[in-house]
Amino acid sequence: MQTLLDYEEALRLSEQMLACAREARWDDLVGVEQQRSAVLDRLRDREAGPEADPALRARKREALARMLACDEEVSALTQDWMRELRAVLDAGQTRERLQRAYGQR
């Protein structure tokens, strides 16, 4: 039963990560991802094989499917953010090069 609770906790944290990404709270996203990683590590250490109970197996499968969906959306949102960050950094580097080339005025 503890295994199922960990799956549900990992799902809750995945949904929290998605909320952070949607709100562009990148520092919070990193912290929540670290929490989820700890839960997933516990699951890997404990999980011996397939669940014998079909109902529990179905609940785990549903949790995993929802976690993957959250991860896909988080990935898309972070890629958008990385493109924006790259553009800001590139603009700053261009400004610095122009200032060096033409002097500060």
Side-chain angles (χ1 to χ4, degrees):
M1 190 62 171
Q2 181 59 44
T3 301
L4 180 59
L5 293 174
D6 282 344
Y7 273 94
E8 290 172 348
E9 175 68 3
L11 173 58
R12 184 188 70 75
L13 291 167
S14 295
E15 290 169 340
Q16 191 175 346
M17 288 170 55
L18 179 55
C20 290
R22 285 177 175 164
E23 297 166 9
R25 293 185 292 124
W26 307 115
D27 291 339
D28 293 341
L29 173 65
V30 170
V32 176
E33 193 279 330
Q34 290 170 344
Q35 292 174 36
R36 187 184 76 160
S37 288
V39 173
L40 293 175
D41 287 344
R42 271 198 321 261
L43 276 169
R44 272 189 289 279
D45 292 343
R46 186 179 314 118
E47 199 75 77
E51 183 64 53
D53 181 348
L56 290 177
R57 191 170 48 243
R59 287 177 65 186
K60 285 182 184 181
R61 189 173 26 252
E62 174 63 22
L64 284 170
R66 290 175 55 196
M67 277 188 263
L68 288 172
C70 288
D71 285 353
E72 287 176 13
E73 189 171 343
V74 167
S75 178
L77 291 166
T78 56
Q79 287 176 10
D80 290 344
W81 174 68
M82 289 300 291
R83 277 191 289 277
E84 290 174 22
L85 183 59
R86 221 173 272 117
V88 168
L89 291 173
D90 288 346
Q93 290 172 347
T94 300
R95 184 175 53 248
E96 286 178 24
R97 277 187 245 133
L98 288 171
Q99 286 175 345
R100 278 194 306 268
Y102 297 102
Q104 294 180 349
R105 296 175 189 226

